[in-house]
Amino acid sequence: MFNYKGHKTSQRRINMIYTMCNVGMLSSLFFAAFSYFIDGYGISLFLIFLAAVYLFAASITKIKPTTARLIFITAFNLSVAIIASYFGKGASFELILMYAIGLSFILYSYRREKELVIAFSILPVILWITLFFTDFELFKNTSVNPDTIRNVIYPISILTTLALVSFQLGYYVYLTVGFNKGIHNKKQEAINASNAKTNFLSTMSHEIRTPLNAVIGLSHILGSNNPREDQKQNIEALNYSGKILLNLLNNVLDFSKMQSSTIELDHVPTDLTSALNQIKKIHETSCIQKEITMHLFIDDEIPIVWLDIVRYNQVINNLVTNAIKFTKNGSVTLRIKKEEINDTKVKILTEVIDTGIGIPKDKHDTIWEAFTQASTSTNRLYGGTGLGLPIVKNIVEAMGSTIHIDSEIGKGSRFHFEIISKIASTKDLEESNKVSSYSFDKNRILLVEDNQINIMVCKQILEKENLIVETALNGLEAVNMIKENSYDLVLMDIQMPIMDGYTAATEIRKFNKTTPILALSASVFMQVKDRIHKSGMNGFIFKPFDPEDLLNQIQQNINPT
C-alpha cells in the first residue's frame, strides 16, 4: 500500500480514510432523507449519489489508499459547494469549507506530500470565492422555502461547521500531544542510553587506568632512583609506552567527548626534536617484526614553539601506528619540517608516508568517519576500532588546520597537515621544564585506595618527598580514621567496596569541614566531576596521575602560599 511518490501509507492514515468515507456515506444518506422531507428532491438524489461515491472509496481504501483519499477529498469539497449553491447564501453551508481547508493536513503527510496538501487546501478557497462571485448560483439554486432555510438549514450548517472544526482542532491537539510524548520518550531513551554509555566507559576507564597507573608510577620511581646510564633509555621508553597506552585508551574516551564538545588545547613551550625523540624507539619493534624500515626526519631549524604536545603526539602516534599496520614491505617515514617563519610564528609541515596497501580514491572521504575503514576486509585482516583517524581529524582541526591524504592502491599513502605555532623562547622552555621543589615537613596524608599496587606506587612517590602516608582500603574505614586522627590532606579513590569515595566525602564533611580532600578519579566525564564537587571534595587528580601533578596539587592544598 503506497501513496504519492511511492511512500508507504501509514496504517493510522488508512484507518482514518476508511472511517471518514463511512461517516460521509451515512451522513449523506441521513441528509438525503432530510432533504427529501423538506422538498429538496434534487439535492436528495445528489446526496444518494454522493453516498455511493463514499461507499466506493471506503471499499478500495485498504487496497488503493491513494485513490480513496483523492475520491473522498474531491467529493467532499464539490459536494459542499453544490449544497451551498443549492440552498443559497442564507444557508451559510459554505462555512463547512473552513473544515475542508484543513482536511488535507489530516489525509496527507505534509513532509512527504507537500504538493497535495497545498493543492487541496487551495481548492476549498477557490470554490468559496467562486460561490461568492456567482452569487451562489454556481450549480442550481433552490426552490426550498426561505423560512426552512433560515430556521432549519442555517442552524444545521452552523452546528455542523462547529462540530467539524472542533473535531479538527481536537485531532490536531491529539496528534501534537502524541508527537510531544513520542519526543519525550525518545529523549528519555537517549538520556538513558547516554548515561549507560557514560557509566560503562567510566567503569572501564577505572579498571584499565588502575594497572596503567602502576606502570607509569613505577617507571617514574625507577627513573628517580639514580638508574645506570644503560638503564635510563629503557626506563624512559617504558614511561613513554605507558603514556602511549594511555593515549590509546583516551582515543575511545576522546571520541565520546568530541561528539558533544570542542577540544581544548593546552599549549606549552616545546622543543620538537627532544619531545619526539622516543617516537622511533617506541615503534621500532613493530617495524622490525614486519621487516620494514622507519625513518624519522625532524628539521633542525624548527625553533621552540608553543604547542599542545600531548595532542600533537596523539596525532603522530595514530598516523604512524596506522602506517605500520598497513605496510607489509618498504618503509614508514615521519617528516616534520619548517615551511615558513617570521619573528613570531612558524609554519610546520607534518607528514607520515608509507609504502603500504594504499586507500582507494572513493574512500578518501569516508575513512574520517567513526568506526569506518577502507573496506570490509580491512578490519578482518588488520583489526582496529576505526576511531583513530576521526580523532586525528578533530585534533588537527582544533589546531586550526586540515589533514590531507594522497594515496593510491598498492603504492602507499601520505597523510600531511600544516600548523602555525607561536615561537617560544629558551627561557619559556626552561621555566616549563624546571623541576619542582616541595616544602613538605612530614605532613600526614591519608590515602584511601583499594588497589594494593596503587597503594605501593603512591606511597613510594609521597614518602620520597618527606610525607607521612597512612592508608584506608575503603570509604568507611577512611571516615572512622579521620574521626580519630588529624590529617593534612586526604587522597580519596572514587570506586571502592563497602563505601565509595562520594559517600565517604559526604560523611566526612558532616564533622570535618577543613581537611582538603582530593579525588583520585579515572573518569573524565563531567557527571563524575560534578559529583566530586557536590560531595564536598576540593579537587580531583586523574588516574593514571603524573607524579609531579599529584605533588603539585598536594602542595597547593597543604601550603597554599
Side-chain angles (χ1 to χ4, degrees), residues 198-209:
T198 300
N199 291 336
F200 170 76
L201 290 176
S202 179
T203 301
M204 290 304 297
S205 174
H206 179 270
E207 295 302 321
I208 296 173
R209 285 169 184 256

Side-chain angles (χ1 to χ4, degrees), residues 127-142:
L127 290 173
W128 201 333
I129 293 172
T130 305
L131 285 169
F132 177 79
F133 282 106
T134 59
D135 200 25
F136 287 79
E137 293 185 358
L138 179 61
F139 298 101
K140 182 182 182 302
N141 206 291
T142 182

Side-chain angles (χ1 to χ4, degrees), residues 38-42 85-88 140-146 148-149:
I38 61 171
D39 297 331
Y41 305 118
S85 176
Y86 184 84
F87 287 119
K140 182 182 182 302
N141 206 291
T142 182
S143 57
V144 177
N145 189 307
T148 302
I149 291 175

Side-chain angles (χ1 to χ4, degrees), residues 320-332:
V320 171
T321 300
N322 270 2
I324 294 171
K325 183 193 300 182
F326 297 114
T327 301
K328 292 182 179 179
N329 302 294
S331 64
V332 171

Side-chain angles (χ1 to χ4, degrees), residues 205-489:
S205 174
H206 179 270
E207 295 302 321
I208 296 173
R209 285 169 184 256
T210 296
L212 194 55
N213 186 55
V215 172
I216 295 175
L218 287 172
S219 64
H220 173 83
I221 292 169
L222 290 172
S224 62
N225 284 342
N226 298 318
R228 299 191 312 268
E229 286 299 319
D230 63 320
Q231 295 175 327
K232 285 183 178 180
Q233 195 174 28
N234 291 333
I235 292 172
E236 288 175 3
L238 175 63
N239 185 266
Y240 189 79
S241 297
K243 292 178 179 178
I244 294 302
L245 183 57
L246 177 60
N247 280 339
L248 293 175
L249 171 62
N250 286 341
N251 275 351
V252 177
L253 302 177
D254 281 347
F255 175 73
S256 178
K257 289 192 294 178
M258 287 173 189
Q259 304 311 297
S260 57
S261 61
T262 56
I263 302 172
E264 295 183 5
L265 300 177
D266 181 20
H267 293 95
V268 296
T270 304
D271 180 356
L272 284 176
T273 302
S274 60
L276 299 176
N277 63 358
Q278 290 291 335
I279 286 280
K280 186 175 181 179
K281 185 173 181 62
I282 290 301
H283 295 286
E284 203 166 32
T285 303
S286 299
C287 291
I288 292 171
Q289 289 174 351
K290 300 189 73 173
E291 297 182 348
I292 61 177
T293 306
M294 181 172 178
H295 303 292
L296 174 62
F297 301 106
I298 302 177
D299 193 338
D300 292 334
E301 295 184 5
I302 297 177
I304 299 169
V305 295
W306 289 95
L307 181 69
D308 187 331
I309 188 59
V310 174
R311 292 296 189 184
Y312 185 74
N313 258 328
Q314 193 174 359
V315 170
I316 296 299
N317 279 297
N318 276 335
L319 292 177
V320 171
T321 300
N322 270 2
I324 294 171
K325 183 193 300 182
F326 297 114
T327 301
K328 292 182 179 179
N329 302 294
S331 64
V332 171
T333 301
L334 170 60
R335 181 181 290 116
I336 302 169
K337 65 179 182 178
K338 179 192 70 178
E339 289 275 278
E340 299 175 13
I341 190 169
N342 58 32
D343 293 338
T344 58
K345 294 181 180 179
V346 59
K347 180 187 287 186
I348 301 170
L349 172 65
T350 303
E351 300 175 287
V352 176
I353 306 165
D354 66 65
T355 58
I357 61 176
I359 301 170
K361 286 189 177 181
D362 61 340
K363 299 295 184 181
H364 284 192
D365 292 330
T366 58
I367 59 170
W368 306 108
E369 298 174 6
F371 310 109
T372 301
Q373 295 190 339
S375 68
T376 53
S377 62
T378 300
N379 183 266
R380 184 176 68 253
L381 294 173
Y382 300 98
T385 62
L387 291 177
L389 289 180
I391 290 170
V392 164
K393 179 175 180 288
N394 285 333
I395 293 174
V396 170
E397 289 178 352
M399 292 179 169
S401 183
T402 304
I403 188 161
H404 303 280
I405 176 176
D406 304 317
S407 182
E408 289 185 35
I409 290 291
K411 294 186 178 181
S413 304
R414 172 178 175 256
F415 290 85
H416 56 100
F417 61 93
E418 296 174 331
I419 55 173
I420 298 175
S421 296
K422 292 181 179 179
I423 297 175
S425 66
T426 304
K427 184 179 178 181
D428 292 328
L429 183 63
E430 290 172 352
E431 285 290 326
S432 176
N433 293 337
K434 187 166 61 177
V435 177
S436 301
S437 59
Y438 307 101
S439 57
F440 300 129
D441 184 20
K442 296 188 180 300
N443 301 95
R444 298 184 69 191
I445 305 294
L446 176 61
L447 173 62
V448 189
E449 170 68 70
D450 63 322
N451 184 280
Q452 291 294 340
I453 296 177
N454 280 348
I455 291 174
M456 177 189 71
V457 172
C458 198
K459 281 190 72 173
Q460 288 190 48
I461 292 172
L462 299 180
E463 288 175 349
K464 196 175 189 312
E465 298 297 335
N466 201 28
L467 291 166
I468 298 173
V469 182
E470 296 182 25
T471 60
L473 297 177
N474 59 68
L476 181 60
E477 188 176 334
V479 172
N480 293 330
M481 290 180 69
I482 294 172
K483 283 181 179 178
E484 298 173 2
N485 303 282
S486 176
Y487 297 98
D488 295 296
L489 184 134

